[in-house]
Amino acid sequence: MKPRRFMPSGPLRGTIRVPGDKSISHRSIMLGALAVGETRVTGLLEGEDVLSTAAAMRAMGARVERLGEGEWSVHGVGVGALLQPQDPLDMGNSGTSTRLLMGLVASHPITATFIGDASLSKRPMGRVIGPLSQMGAAFDASEGGRLPLTVRGAQPAVPIAYRLPVASAQVKSAVLLAGLNTPGITTVIEPVPTRDHSERMLRGFGADLSVEVEADGTRVIRLVGEAELKPQTIEVPGDPSSAAFFIVAALLVPGSELTILNVGLNPTRAGLIEVLRQMGGDIAEVNRREVGGEPVADLVVRHSALKGIAIDPAVVPSMVDEFPALFVAAALAEGTTVTTGLEELRVKESDRISVMAAALTGAGARVTETEDGLIIEGTGGEVLRGTAGAIATHLDHRIAMSMAVAGLASRAGVEVDDTRPIATSFPVFEALLDGLAT
Ligand code: S3P
């Protein structure tokens, strides 16, 4: 455990750059490892979760090398040619690595065992075991469909048409990645759109992938196997989920004016910015451009008086990882913020509904937990009391960073019980914050 008290801060001013997008970083290494030849990646997030993916792809035969800061080279083995890993694949804290790699193994003639930390070992894998079993893979999982688990790949796998029962980009991606080495057309039907980085990048690597949008918005994604992927040069945009903490911090701390460079603004990820603007947040976008096939802009965020709102549950998938940060913003807004439709938050790195309810209450906020969300009575701009002892983060990086932001807008500071998990997604978070906070 590495506790730290995050103290009240003066205005956040200046310019920062957040590290590369975690979702895109994982996918660039996985697809690079499946292409024949060398893929070059710049701006890769060097967080522990992505390093778990890199280690796993190495264990399955790819050459994955770090050339410099954020600069990586991946020599792929080709779709169908992944090697049997000799040891269990240690996924650490990373649900994305686990679920996407289960998809890859499922259609290769290899067997792999997945292990992870205490948080990951509590998370449900049944959601990928279901469709991947239909494709012919065999699973030996711990109770409740959890890690440690062993996947025996199908040879050959059979293509399926799978309608997602939960809005999950990880499940969608697991099925699509399994489809790469499956003869015929693998179809994923997505009633509610989730992040589409897999689709964009699969196309970029030359896969035959089409997306049909039906009248009601349902997306039908078809991938033709067996695919041949061509190596690419990828520039990873900054992670909007990491930018989120600094956006909220700048909105909350009086006198702040912060520029955040190179933030990915894929519409399937940008829900938080829209919601914060509805709450009265002053967030300007400058220099809109495209980086690595993804929309990107620099954001200028100014301190704003926020107002509580009822958040439309339809936006949840586009900000699914940003609710802990949003809850902190709501705790200082004027009036009530009501969130619903957040059941998925209960199966993230921690149960983010109850863990944030406890953490914010401990810091002096007024919070009511419901089955599928939180109701938060904001202070109207007055800083939170802060915590006496440490709040429990349950091995969840986003809880730690959100409560660090709450500390900036508190009287006594907020103590977080363990800052180590921050390194899974945002290793330079504390250094960036310390460089800004005065
Ligand atoms: C991710 C998808 C989301 C998100 C996670 C990353 C991805 O998970 O919470 O941090 O890279 O595909 P779900 O698919 O479980 O919603």
Side-chain angles (χ1 to χ4, degrees):
M1 297 281 242
K2 199 170 164 213
R4 174 170 170 187
R5 178 166 290 269
F6 290 91
M7 296 306 287
S9 158
L12 305 178
R13 291 180 158 272
T15 301
I16 60 167
R17 175 182 285 269
V18 290
D21 188 278
K22 181 149 75 78
S23 292
I24 297 173
S25 296
H26 281 301
R27 286 156 172 83
S28 67
I29 291 182
M30 290 179 195
L31 295 190
L34 288 171
V36 180
E38 185 187 11
T39 288
R40 284 291 188 105
V41 188
T42 54
L44 187 93
L45 168 66
E46 293 173 342
E48 289 166 3
D49 281 9
V50 176
L51 299 181
S52 296
T53 290
M57 296 322 299
R58 271 188 209 114
M60 290 191 277
R63 216 165 91 205
V64 185
E65 293 165 326
R66 183 178 193 267
L67 306 177
E69 203 188 315
E71 226 185 296
W72 288 62
S73 158
V74 184
H75 283 87
V77 293
V79 170
L82 289 180
L83 300 180
Q84 165 89 42
Q86 294 307 308
D87 298 308
L89 301 174
D90 188 350
M91 303 283 94
N93 189 253
S94 179
T96 308
S97 309
T98 309
R99 295 194 178 116
L100 271 57
L101 292 178
M102 284 170 69
L104 280 185
V105 171
S107 64
H108 278 75
I110 58 175
T111 297
T113 297
F114 292 87
I115 58 172
D117 73 3
S119 153
L120 184 59
S121 302
K122 285 189 204 143
R123 299 181 66 185
M125 298 299 152
R127 52 182 60 197
V128 282
I129 293 175
L132 298 175
S133 301
Q134 289 177 29
M135 296 179 83
F139 292 87
D140 186 3
S142 301
E143 206 188 321
R146 295 186 159 79
L147 261 50
L149 69 74
T150 298
V151 187
R152 241 171 310 119
Q155 48 181 137
V158 290
I160 57 169
Y162 189 70
R163 193 182 175 85
L164 292 178
V166 278
S168 166
Q170 292 179 354
V171 178
K172 168 175 67 176
S173 303
V175 175
L176 290 174
L177 291 180
L180 282 174
N181 195 40
T182 302
I185 298 176
T186 295
T187 308
V188 178
I189 302 152
E190 189 178 52
V192 181
T194 64
R195 67 189 66 193
D196 63 357
H197 307 301
S198 295
E199 295 95 304
R200 285 174 190 248
M201 202 182 284
L202 280 164
R203 272 216 187 109
F205 273 79
D208 182 350
L209 178 140
S210 65
V211 181
E212 186 190 329
V213 184
E214 297 183 335
D216 66 352
T218 298
R219 295 170 81 246
V220 181
I221 307 152
R222 295 187 181 85
L223 174 77
V224 181
E226 299 153 292
E228 261 181 53
L229 302 185
K230 292 182 217 44
Q232 299 298 309
T233 300
I234 298 172
E235 191 182 346
V236 181
D239 196 327
S241 300
S242 295
F245 304 106
F246 285 95
I247 296 172
V248 170
L251 290 174
L252 294 185
V253 178
S256 297
E257 178 170 337
L258 185 63
T259 299
I260 311 174
L261 300 175
N262 192 37
V263 181
L265 291 179
N266 179 314
T268 63
R269 296 287 300 283
L272 176 74
I273 293 173
E274 215 26 68
V275 164
L276 288 171
R277 283 184 180 140
Q278 285 168 22
M279 294 173 75
D282 181 352
I283 306 169
E285 285 164 34
V286 293
N287 193 13
R288 250 197 179 265
R289 59 203 183 272
E290 204 166 273
V291 171
E294 299 270 346
V296 157
D298 304 330
L299 301 180
V300 183
V301 188
R302 293 183 187 87
H303 166 69
S304 308
L306 300 179
K307 283 198 170 19
I309 58 168
I311 296 177
D312 179 357
V315 306
V316 171
S318 68
M319 56 176 291
V320 68
D321 290 336
E322 280 64 80
F323 279 93
L326 184 273
F327 294 150
V328 175
L332 276 97
E334 182 194 331
T336 309
T337 295
V338 181
T339 58
T340 51
L342 305 187
E343 337 21 33
E344 273 296 302
L345 264 65
R346 295 204 184 271
V347 291
K348 296 293 180 191
E349 286 82 331
S350 69
D351 175 343
R352 288 180 173 163
I353 298 180
S354 68
V355 171
M356 280 304 292
L360 279 172
T361 303
R366 282 179 299 164
V367 178
T368 310
E369 180 176 347
T370 64
E371 223 164 88
D372 65 341
L374 290 183
I375 301 168
I376 301 177
E377 301 287 340
T379 60
E382 197 184 309
V383 295
L384 298 174
R385 178 194 67 225
T387 65
I391 62 104
T393 50
H394 299 271
L395 288 177
D396 188 332
H397 54 136
R398 299 203 198 280
I399 304 293
M401 290 186 276
S402 298
M403 294 311 295
V405 171
L408 304 182
S410 72
R411 238 183 353 261
V414 165
E415 189 175 336
V416 163
D417 66 347
D418 193 5
T419 54
R420 289 173 312 172
I422 293 173
T424 61
S425 70
F426 199 167
V428 297
F429 171 79
E430 287 176 85
L432 275 179
L433 189 64
D434 294 342
L436 283 172
T438 44

